[in-house]
Amino acid sequence: RKRNVLFIMADDLRTSLGCYGDPVVKSPNIDQLASKSQVFLDAYAQQAVCAPSRTSMLTSRRPDTTRLYDFNSYWRVHSGNYTTMPQYFKSRGYYTMSVGKVFHPGIASNHTDDYPYSWSIPAYHPASFRFEKEKMCKGEDGKLHANLLCAVNVTEQPGGTLPDMESTDEAVRLLKTRASDDVPFFLAVGFHKPHIPFRIPQEYLSLYPIDQMTLAPDPNVPKLLPPVAYNPWMDVRKRDDVQKLNVSFPYGPIPKDFQLRIRQHYYAAVSYMDAQVGRLLSALDELGLADSTMVVFTSDHGWSLGEHGEWAKYSNFDVTTRVPLIFYVPGVNRFNEWLGEFTFSFVDVLTQSELSFKNAKVGRNVVELVDVFPTVSYMAGLGAPEPCPDVSFQEKLCTEGHNLAYTFQHREQG
Amino acid sequence: EDEEAISFSQYPRPADTPQVNSDLPDLKDIKVMGYSLRSWDYRYTLWLGFNPQTFQVNVSDVHAGELYMLAGDPGQDENIYSEPDHSVMMRKMASLP
C-alpha cells in the first residue's frame, strides 16, 4: 500500500528534548512521537550552519561534494546536478510539497526552494516571516527593537500570528487536500524555531521560571581550546538587547543573568515549536493518515547554550552538530498501540506539562544526516540510492550516507 | 558493518583566530577547514589548510587539533590533543571520504 511521508524539520534544534533525556525542556508532542518511533540518540549534522547542512542532508552528499560551506551558491550549477530526496520521491510518482524552511531559501536553493525539481507545487513561506527581521520586540522603553529575547503577545503581532503557526495551518490545509487522494505525498514542513530571534508567544516563558534556570555546566572557554575552533556568535551579538550589554569580542562572556534568560527563551521556543508539531501530528491522525504516513523529525543542526563560553552554531562541538532524528514508520515500529486510541493526540504543554512519554526503542549507533535520504527512501519502499563513487560530481543520484533500515531490527530497549 | 561507526562534521574558518567573519566566512575567505570524526568514544578534529579555489585540503598543513575522550569528558572541555600518541586517529583521518 502507499506510504506517505511527513518530513518535519526544526531550525537550530539541539537535542534539548524530553525524549533525548533533557530534564528541563518540555516537549510532550515530540516525545509522544518518539514513544512510537525509532529514536537515534547519536545523530550528527555534517556542518553546523543552515544552508550547508540542509543541502547536504537533502542531497545526501557531504559539504565537500556539494561544495557549499556558506550561503552563496546553488549546488546544481556550482558542484553537480544532484537529485534531492523530494525530487527522488517526485520522480517515483509522489506529490511533493514544501512548507516553511526546508531548503535554505535564497541563492542556496536558486531562490525557488529548488522548485520545480524537488516540488510538485511552489514552496510555501509564511507571510509573517518578513517581520522576523524587523523591530518587533517591545523593550523596557516601550519602543520596538530587534532583540534576541522577543516573547510577544501574538494578538498584537501583524496578522495576529507567527510564522510557525502559519506554516502549521498551511501544512494541515495541504494534508486535507491529499487525504483522500490515491497519489502518495511527501510533505516537508520546516519550522523556523528555535532559531533566533526568540520571537515566540510569551506564555511559553511561564514553563521556565527564571529562578529555576541554570547556566551551562561548562560556561567558560576551555583553556586548551584552539582559537580556530571558537565561534564568536556574531548573530547573537548583533541583536539590539545583546549589543546593549557591551560584551567583549570575541570571548565575552555574556553576563550570567542574561545567559539564564537566553536559556529560558531557547527552551520556551522549543516548547512553542513542539506545540506546532503536535498540531500537525494530531491533524495527520484525525485525517486518518497516521497508519499510512511515515513521519521523520529532525533538525539542521544544534545550538550552543553557553557551553564552552559559546552561543549559536558555527562549531564542531556536539552541542551544535548533534541533532534529533526520529523515524515513525507505521507497521514497522509503531509501539504502545491501543485499538481505538489516537496515535498522536495533541498535548497542550501549557495545561498538561506534567504529561510525559517514554521512548519505546532507541538506537545508540552513531549516524549522520546524510543517512536520512537513503533510509527514508528505503522505508517508503522506493529503494535507497546506490552509494556514491569516490568522485561523484557527475552522478545525479547516489548517497554518501548509509541506509539505516537494518538498525530498525537491532533496537535496544529504551 | 564491522567498521567503527563514525560521523563526519566539518566547519570552515577564515583565520586561526576569531574574527568577525569566523562564524560565516564566504567561500573565497575560507583558509582553514576543521574536520571532526565523532565516534562513540571520542571526537577528534584537525583544523587543516584549505584552498577555496581548488576545494582542496592540505593534510600536512595542520593548524590545530582537538581530541576529547567522551567517557570522562562528555562535554568536550578537556582537549588532550597535545598529550597522547594519537597516530591511530591520524590514520583514520587520512582515510576520510
Side-chain angles (χ1 to χ4, degrees):
Chain A
R1 67 181 180 178
K2 73 171 185 178
R3 178 163 288 162
N4 307 306
V5 178
L6 176 58
F7 186 79
I8 308 172
M9 284 196 70
D11 199 355
D12 291 13
L13 176 64
R14 57 194 260 157
T15 53
S16 289
L17 295 170
C19 53
Y20 280 78
D22 190 299
V24 178
V25 80
K26 294 178 172 64
S27 53
N29 292 287
I30 298 169
D31 296 349
Q32 178 176 230
L33 170 68
S35 75
K36 299 157 197 253
S37 302
Q38 174 88 356
V39 180
F40 287 95
L41 295 179
D42 280 283
Y44 295 88
Q46 273 49 76
Q47 188 179 326
V49 72
C50 300
S53 178
R54 287 166 187 262
T55 299
S56 170
M57 178 177 64
L58 291 164
T59 60
S60 196
R61 317 276 181 128
R62 299 178 190 282
D64 282 342
T65 309
T66 64
R67 291 181 163 173
L68 181 68
Y69 312 107
D70 56 17
F71 291 6
N72 302 324
S73 57
Y74 178 44
W75 75 91
R76 292 190 191 275
V77 294
H78 179 65
S79 54
N81 192 8
Y82 309 142
T83 301
T84 69
M85 177 165 60
Q87 181 184 4
Y88 183 56
F89 276 81
K90 188 181 173 197
S91 72
R92 297 296 189 280
Y94 273 68
Y95 192 80
T96 60
M97 302 163 283
S98 173
V99 171
K101 186 176 175 182
V102 179
F103 283 102
H104 189 82
I107 297 171
S109 56
N110 201 31
H111 299 283
T112 61
D113 300 79
D114 199 41
Y115 173 81
Y117 286 105
S118 289
W119 311 112
S120 303
I121 52 175
Y124 169 87
H125 291 284
S128 63
F129 184 70
R130 76 179 183 88
F131 299 108
E132 203 78 356
K133 291 175 181 172
E134 295 185 10
K135 296 183 176 185
M136 302 301 296
C137 325
K138 207 176 276 180
E140 291 170 357
D141 57 4
K143 296 177 180 172
L144 293 176
H145 300 273
N147 285 345
L148 176 71
L149 312 181
C150 192
V152 298
N153 180 342
V154 176
T155 62
E156 295 176 355
Q157 295 303 294
T161 189
L162 291 173
D164 285 347
M165 293 177 170
E166 278 194 284
S167 289
T168 307
D169 292 343
E170 175 64 8
V172 171
R173 189 189 72 77
L174 288 170
L175 284 176
K176 287 177 180 170
T177 67
R178 307 310 304 171
S180 57
D181 199 300
D182 286 339
V183 176
F185 66 80
F186 180 106
L187 172 60
V189 182
F191 291 116
H192 286 281
K193 293 301 161 207
H195 194 290
I196 66 166
F198 301 123
R199 183 171 168 248
I200 55 172
Q202 59 194 9
E203 54 268 30
Y204 287 91
L205 285 186
S206 66
L207 296 169
Y208 306 99
I210 196 70
D211 58 355
Q212 292 176 24
M213 288 291 101
T214 57
L215 297 175
D218 51 349
N220 300 315
V221 180
K223 285 179 184 164
L224 296 177
L225 181 71
V228 71
Y230 183 85
N231 66 281
W233 32 280
M234 293 304 295
D235 56 349
V236 171
R237 287 172 194 275
K238 286 175 183 169
R239 307 303 300 182
D240 289 355
D241 47 354
V242 180
Q243 277 192 43
K244 277 172 57 182
L245 301 172
N246 194 20
V247 174
S248 299
F249 180 88
Y251 294 112
I254 288 176
K256 287 181 180 174
D257 60 335
F258 202 87
Q259 290 190 37
L260 294 174
R261 294 184 68 203
I262 295 176
R263 290 168 66 85
Q264 174 199 37
H265 279 70
Y266 183 88
Y267 291 135
V270 173
S271 293
Y272 159 59
M273 183 273 299
D274 175 82
Q276 307 316 305
V277 172
R279 287 180 57 211
L280 181 58
L281 292 178
S282 65
L284 184 82
D285 206 355
E286 287 164 15
L287 290 165
L289 294 167
D291 288 337
S292 58
T293 304
M294 182 191 326
V295 181
V296 184
F297 179 84
T298 190
S299 175
D300 50 1
H301 45 73
W303 213 77
S304 296
L305 275 172
E307 293 88 355
H308 324 106
E310 292 188 300
W311 302 89
K313 42 230 182 183
Y314 318 120
S315 83
N316 280 342
F317 277 110
D318 275 13
V319 285
T320 68
T321 57
R322 189 175 168 216
V323 290
L325 182 58
I326 299 169
F327 289 87
Y328 165 78
V329 187
V332 174
N333 57 5
R334 183 175 173 182
F335 306 108
N336 303 338
E337 186 177 24
W338 291 278
L339 203 63
E341 287 198 0
F342 281 114
T343 307
F344 301 119
S345 298
F346 176 71
V347 183
D348 183 352
V349 70
L350 297 170
T351 59
Q352 300 169 279
S353 64
E354 75 291 345
L355 208 56
S356 65
F357 297 88
K358 218 171 188 179
N359 289 347
K361 306 285 178 182
V362 297
R364 296 183 183 279
N365 39 330
V366 173
V367 302
E368 308 178 281
L369 285 184
V370 286
D371 300 336
V372 170
F373 183 170
T375 306
V376 174
S377 305
Y378 181 87
M379 297 305 281
L382 304 187
E386 291 294 314
C388 291
D390 286 346
V391 179
S392 63
F393 296 109
Q394 302 301 320
E395 296 288 331
K396 287 184 179 169
L397 177 64
C398 66
T399 175
E400 293 187 74
H402 293 94
N403 176 2
L404 303 177
Y406 77 93
T407 68
F408 283 54
Q409 298 160 23
H410 298 278
R411 295 178 294 244
E412 298 174 34
Q413 288 292 337
Chain B
E1 292 183 12
D2 293 332
E3 291 176 5
E4 181 182 17
I6 287 176
S7 76
F8 300 94
S9 300
Q10 61 190 99
Y11 210 89
R13 296 280 187 234
D16 287 332
T17 53
Q19 52 189 50
V20 290
N21 64 339
S22 287
D23 291 343
L24 272 178
D26 288 341
L27 175 62
K28 64 179 171 41
D29 297 323
I30 297 172
K31 301 288 192 299
V32 185
M33 188 69 77
Y35 288 93
S36 285
L37 303 177
R38 176 60 164 83
S39 80
W40 180 255
D41 300 312
Y42 60 86
R43 177 165 73 84
Y44 182 70
T45 302
L46 285 181
W47 295 88
L48 303 170
F50 181 84
N51 183 329
Q53 277 87 44
T54 63
F55 299 93
Q56 294 298 307
V57 70
N58 183 350
V59 293
S60 61
D61 181 20
V62 180
H63 289 236
E66 298 170 78
L67 176 59
Y68 305 98
M69 302 308 293
L70 302 172
D73 181 24
Q76 305 177 355
D77 293 293
E78 304 293 332
N79 180 14
I80 59 169
Y81 174 78
S82 59
E83 290 179 15
D85 172 9
H86 44 80
S87 56
V88 175
M89 308 286 185
M90 287 290 282
R91 284 200 293 277
K92 283 178 192 283
M93 188 62 92
S95 64
L96 267 171

